[in-house]
């Protein structure tokens, strides 16, 4: 155990928390203020627990508890990600004492701005996972029969792959990216559930794929078994909203809590797609056309 | 699968997004970036004197009838493509430098701002000096409002005269600086786009090299600007007229009305009529 930090003289007795709330998808957001008792060594999750227990705003109004999400409480699942004091991060690893040093007046909590809000601080990350499907971010093994032991990975490859494998799909890289814009569709009157889902799918499939998926594509393209799908992954990266949509602002790499070298993955994807495009130009273009006719 | 059946008739841009964006990146470097480097260097040669600059312009214009094809094929068409797609790209990004104050994020924002400045600057600049197209009615109309001012066989004097007002001086300085930043920073991002520099360390090294290139271009461009605003049009015109007379005699340049400031002291005011004679008198010299 790490010993708690020594008590400072001027510790506040209460903390003011400003929360951006929203009652449901597509509804108007509104701010609410809460005062909670200060304790040492709190994180934002414990702040949210206190708010839920109290469920009373600063002017004494009883309100429904603020909704939020969390899982691991140790910054490996990504589900507690939100915008804290204007910056996207995990609430489980956002320490209150540290936040108060930056801004002693209040802590500001907002849902991520690039995903549809479900309720309060809960958001819908479907598009993030859809991007992983677009690049087939998995190893194709169906386990019907034993393939024997896997290929041994040279050390350099292990060292290149390990950092990329730490991605927890939190979405920080997407929240901070100026090229990744929010898509929020609502079901129209007279539209069936299937039609709506299909429309959403099409929108998610052509919009910017995001740094996390580009990086995962590079991870699985160097995996001995994952390589089998390398061409399909590059096709996805060369499709609409692929790697070319990145504008090189490099915010993704700056905010990634796992310090994944995202911009290295982006440049590597840039090179791989350059090579693939030249190859397609000289070899594969005829094949592609035939395929299109067949579709 | 729903994703296949549901794919609506997507726009041409969506279907070819990769190719269009890569072509956008490529045109930024060649021909546009390369052209700008040569262009600013040529213009900076004015600091060495009117004659040096005039010789450079003669060399460019020795392309003769090919010049409009080169201009449109290698400069204007790529420029308009890059400019229009660039404005579209800039419109689709949502800058967030107030929350994420990283240097690279600011560079991203400034790449877009300088792109938009370059757009206004280049549309005006080409109209102001070159005129975009050389149909006589269009040029006459432009001239009346102070555009299409450049005359290649009076290169330094017409350029300097066109820069007389404070408005144009400031306009050129800001526009040229914006273009230089845009190209130097664009060179760095293009290296990531195409996968030339990959690791963080390589990207940092490349960033330093691109900064150095930018600083050199800044000096060259500012020299070009200084040359253009500090040249005395009257003195320059005397030198140009002497050079023209000599070169005309030597058969190095063809007689021209539209490439010369009118009235023309060398060919005289009734230039078109004389031009035929002059051509005849030049012919033996070239034998
Ligand atoms: C005329 C108006 C112009 C506009 C509106 C414009 C706009 C843009 C924009 C928005 C980008 C970012 C593209 C991206 O991140 O995907 C860009 C990149 C670039 N531009 Fe321009 N630009 C203009 C003119 C020029 C000129 C004259 C040059 C050359 C001197 C140039 C060279 C570049 C380069 C090298 C890049 C980098 C490409 C990359 O990152 O892959 N641009 N431009
Ligand atoms: C101090 C800065 C500059 C000066 C004094 C200057 C001067 C000139 C002159 C005299 C012309 C007329 C050439 C002709 O009609 O034959 C011209 C044309 C042109 N300039 Fe500039 N320029 C400057 C900066 C720039 C910059 C930064 C760009 C960006 C790429 C640029 C792009 C062009 C283009 C595209 C044309 C028309 C193409 C052509 O005439 O062949 N200029 N400039
Ligand atoms: S790459 Fe980093 S920021 Fe992006 S989802 Fe993965 S862990 Fe989160
Ligand atoms: S480098 Fe690309 S993916 Fe990363 S934040 Fe910038 S634009 Fe987005
Ligand atoms: S709860 Fe899993 S990352 Fe915060």
């Amino acid at each position: 155990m790490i010993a708690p930090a020594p008590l400072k003289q001027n510790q506040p007795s209460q903390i003011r928390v400003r929360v951006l709330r929203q009652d449901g998808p597509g509804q108007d957001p509104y701010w609410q203020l809460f005062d909670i008792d200060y304790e040492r060594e709190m994180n934002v999750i414990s702040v949210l627990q206190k708010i839920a227990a109290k469920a009373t705003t600063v002017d004494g109004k009883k309100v429904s508890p603020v909704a939020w999400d969390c899982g691991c409480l140790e910054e490996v699942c990504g589900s507690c990600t939100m915008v804290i004091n204007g910056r996207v991060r995990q609430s489980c690893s956002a320490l209150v004492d540290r936040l108060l040093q930056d801004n002693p007046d209040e802590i500001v909590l907002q849902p991520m701005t690039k995903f549809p809000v479900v309720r309060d601080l809960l958001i819908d990350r479907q598009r993030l996972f859809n991007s992983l499907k677009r690049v087939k971010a998995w190893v194709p093994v169906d386990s019907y029969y034993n393939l024997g032991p896997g290929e041994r990975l040279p050390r350099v490859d292990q060292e290149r792959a390990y950092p990329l494998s730490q991605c927890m799909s939190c979405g920080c890289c997407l929240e901070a990216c100026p090229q990744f814009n929010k898509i929020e569709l609502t079901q129209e009157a007279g539209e069936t559930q299937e039609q709506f889902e299909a429309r959403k799918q099409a929108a998610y499939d052509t919009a910017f794929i995001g740094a996390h998926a580009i990086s995962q594509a590079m991870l699985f393209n160097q995996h001995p078994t994952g390589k089998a799908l390398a061409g399909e992954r590059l096709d996805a990266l060369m499709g609409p909203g692929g790697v070319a949509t990145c504008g090189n602002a490099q915010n993704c790499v700056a905010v990634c809590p796992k310090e994944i070298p995202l911009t290295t993955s982006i440049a590597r994807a840039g090179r791989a797609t350059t090579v693939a495009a030249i190859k397609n130009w000289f070899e594969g273009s005829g094949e592609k056309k035939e395929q299109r006719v067949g579709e | 699968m729903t994703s296949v059946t549901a794919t609506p008739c997507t726009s041409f841009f969506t279907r070819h997004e990769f190719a269009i964006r890569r072509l956008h990146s490529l045109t930024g470097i060649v021909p546009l970036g390369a052209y700008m480097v040569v262009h600013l260097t040529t213009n900076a040669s004015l600091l060495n004197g009117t004659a040096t600059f005039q010789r450079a312009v003669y060399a460019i214009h020795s392309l003769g009838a090919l010049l409009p094809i080169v201009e449109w094929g290698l400069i204007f068409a790529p420029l308009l493509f890059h400019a229009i797609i660039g404005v579209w790209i800039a419109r689709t990004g949502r800058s967030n430098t107030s929350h994420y104050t990283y240097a690279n994020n600011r560079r991203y924002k400034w790449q877009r701002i300088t792109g938009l400045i370059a757009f206004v600057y280049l549309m005006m600049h080409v109209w102001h000096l070159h005129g975009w197209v050389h149909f006589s009615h269009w040029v006459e109309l432009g001239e009346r409002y102070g555009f299409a001012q450049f005359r290649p066989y009076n290169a330094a004097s017409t350029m300097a005269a066109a820069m007389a007002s404070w408005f144009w001086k400031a306009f050129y300085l800001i526009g040229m600086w914006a273009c230089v930043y845009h190209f130097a920073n664009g060179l760095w991002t293009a290296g990531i786009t195409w996968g030339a520099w990959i690791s963080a360390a390589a990207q940092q090294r490349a960033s330093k090299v691109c900064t150095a290139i930018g600083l050199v271009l800044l000096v060259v461009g500012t020299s070009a600007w200084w040359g253009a605003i500090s040249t005395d049009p009257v003195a320059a015109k005397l030198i140009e007229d002497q050079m023209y007379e000599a070169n005309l005699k030597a058969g190095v340049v063809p007689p021209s009305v539209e490439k010369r400031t009118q009235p023309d002291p060398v060919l005289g005011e009734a230039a078109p009529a004389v031009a035929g004679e002059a051509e005849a008198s030049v012919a033996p010299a070239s034998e």
Side-chain angles (χ1 to χ4, degrees):
Chain A
M1 268 290 291
I2 304 163
L7 245 184
K8 286 202 198 94
Q9 236 42 53
N10 49 354
Q11 287 302 8
S13 58
Q14 293 222 302
I15 313 171
R16 173 145 302 187
V17 189
R18 180 185 292 272
V19 185
L20 188 63
R21 305 201 56 178
Q22 185 173 326
D23 294 339
Q27 281 175 299
D28 286 336
Y30 55 91
W31 291 100
Q32 251 173 18
L33 292 176
F34 298 91
D35 281 334
I36 55 158
D37 293 337
Y38 173 82
E39 267 174 45
R40 284 197 294 156
E41 309 279 301
M42 280 197 292
N43 60 11
V44 170
I45 297 284
S46 40
V47 168
L48 285 164
Q49 284 169 334
K50 278 179 182 279
I51 291 177
K54 198 172 173 191
T56 310
T57 64
V58 280
D59 12 79
K61 205 172 103 192
K62 264 289 191 209
V63 293
S64 58
V66 175
W68 85 95
D69 202 356
C70 69
C72 65
L73 298 181
E74 52 177 0
E75 204 186 82
V76 288
C77 76
S79 62
C80 67
T81 308
M82 60 183 71
V83 178
I84 301 172
N85 287 355
R87 194 179 184 283
V88 69
R89 54 188 301 178
Q90 279 66 52
S91 41
C92 66
S93 55
L95 302 178
V96 167
D97 293 323
R98 204 73 66 70
L99 293 172
L100 290 178
Q101 274 170 17
D102 297 342
N103 181 9
D105 297 334
E106 59 182 15
I107 294 174
V108 185
L109 305 180
Q110 281 166 265
M112 291 167 88
T113 62
K114 301 291 175 77
F115 299 97
V117 172
V118 177
R119 186 185 170 90
D120 296 337
L121 303 172
L122 261 179
I123 46 96
D124 172 7
R125 278 193 192 72
Q126 191 187 351
R127 179 171 162 206
L128 182 155
F129 296 108
N130 189 67
S131 290
L132 294 175
K133 287 190 201 159
R134 279 167 72 180
V135 295
K136 300 190 165 52
W138 55 74
V139 170
V141 212
D142 56 15
S143 65
Y144 272 169
Y145 52 91
N146 190 350
L147 294 172
E151 201 180 301
R152 280 186 77 93
L153 266 186
R155 194 191 189 101
V156 276
D157 288 354
Q158 288 173 24
E159 278 167 6
R160 197 208 270 181
Y162 181 68
L164 308 192
S165 74
Q166 286 177 295
C167 175
M168 57 180 172
S169 305
C170 65
C172 284
C173 53
L174 309 177
E175 175 70 18
C177 172
Q179 295 286 106
F180 191 94
N181 298 321
K182 182 175 186 169
I183 295 180
E184 183 165 23
L185 300 175
T186 43
Q187 192 164 355
E188 277 159 18
E191 195 178 34
T192 66
Q193 187 66 28
E194 283 77 24
Q195 283 167 333
F196 172 57
E197 286 301 329
R199 189 159 60 89
K200 196 161 72 174
Q201 183 74 44
Y204 286 174
D205 278 346
T206 49
F208 184 33
I209 198 162
H212 73 306
I214 298 172
S215 191
Q216 289 304 298
M218 290 302 104
L219 170 66
F220 287 102
N221 272 14
Q222 73 146 120
H223 185 281
T225 319
K227 259 202 291 245
L229 301 178
E232 289 169 55
R233 292 197 191 95
L234 292 184
D235 279 349
L237 291 182
M238 288 158 72
V243 65
T245 308
C246 163
N248 297 309
Q250 308 214 327
N251 284 353
C252 49
V253 76
V255 298
C256 174
K258 295 291 158 192
E259 297 178 7
I260 296 171
L262 293 167
T263 45
T264 299
S265 291
I266 289 168
R268 188 163 278 134
R271 181 181 289 182
T273 50
T274 302
V275 172
I278 294 170
K279 269 202 188 137
N280 283 353
W281 180 277
F282 287 108
E283 299 170 7
S285 53
E287 255 170 66
K288 272 231 172 115
K289 259 184 211 129
E290 273 163 40
Q291 254 179 25
R292 242 179 243 139
V293 173
E295 265 172 23
Chain B
M1 243 173 66
T2 44
S3 66
V4 173
T5 51
T7 305
C9 39
T10 42
S11 69
F12 179 83
F13 186 90
T14 309
R15 270 180 287 129
H16 300 283
E17 185 172 350
F18 182 79
I20 291 173
R21 284 197 191 250
R22 281 298 172 91
L23 198 59
H24 179 260
S25 172
L26 183 69
T27 52
I29 296 175
V30 279
L32 297 180
Y35 170 77
M36 189 176 85
V37 173
V38 174
H39 182 58
L40 291 180
T41 313
T42 310
N43 292 345
S45 75
L46 180 54
L47 281 187
N48 195 47
T50 302
T52 313
F53 181 57
Q54 184 61 64
R55 268 196 294 276
V57 177
Y58 278 150
I60 294 167
H61 281 259
S62 64
L63 282 171
L66 276 182
L67 194 60
I69 299 170
V70 172
E71 274 174 358
W72 273 96
L74 291 182
I75 306 167
F76 293 165
L79 174 65
L80 290 175
F81 172 81
H82 184 96
I84 291 163
I85 299 294
V87 170
W88 181 85
I89 291 175
R91 280 172 52 93
T92 57
R94 292 280 169 276
S95 184
N96 54 12
T97 43
S98 52
H99 288 301
Y100 302 98
T101 55
Y102 312 115
N104 287 335
N105 198 19
R106 294 220 179 88
R107 288 168 75 165
Y108 165 91
K109 184 172 81 179
W110 278 99
Q111 183 69 8
R112 272 126 251 270
I113 293 174
T114 54
L116 296 181
I117 296 175
F119 188 85
V120 176
Y121 170 70
L122 289 173
M123 293 301 132
M124 292 294 279
H125 168 48
V126 177
W127 190 26
H128 178 221
L129 291 180
H130 177 283
W132 283 106
V133 286
H134 286 153
F135 302 131
S136 55
H137 289 300
W138 170 257
V139 174
E140 273 164 32
L141 187 74
E143 266 184 299
R144 209 176 305 155
Y145 298 100
F147 291 94
Q149 294 292 300
F150 188 69
R151 293 292 168 272
Y153 294 169
N154 291 96
S157 62
T158 50
M159 179 164 79
M163 301 283 258
S165 77
W166 282 108
F167 170 77
W168 285 119
K169 287 189 178 93
F171 188 81
Y172 272 76
L173 191 63
I174 294 168
M176 181 266 300
W177 279 349
C179 287
V180 167
Y181 171 88
H182 187 83
F183 174 61
N185 190 58
L187 203 57
W188 179 68
T189 58
I192 305 169
T193 301
W194 294 88
W197 22 89
I198 288 186
S199 71
Q203 288 181 14
Q204 257 160 33
R205 278 197 300 274
S207 176
K208 282 185 192 136
V209 172
C210 291
T211 308
I213 293 174
L215 289 176
V216 170
L217 271 178
L218 191 71
V219 173
V220 173
T222 309
S223 309
W225 176 81
W226 181 250
I229 68 157
S230 63
T231 297
D232 172 17
V234 180
K237 189 165 184 306
L238 287 176
I239 301 173
E240 288 155 5
D241 287 345
Q242 280 169 9
M243 285 178 75
Y244 177 62
E245 212 169 343
N247 280 297
L248 197 62
K249 282 213 185 89
V252 179
V253 300
S256 174
V257 175
E258 67 278 4
K259 292 187 179 185
R260 297 269 299 151
T261 310
Q262 299 301 323
D264 189 335
V266 179
L267 290 183
E269 258 188 277
V274 186
E277 285 169 41
E279 218 157 354
S281 69
V282 165
S286 60
E287 268 171 23

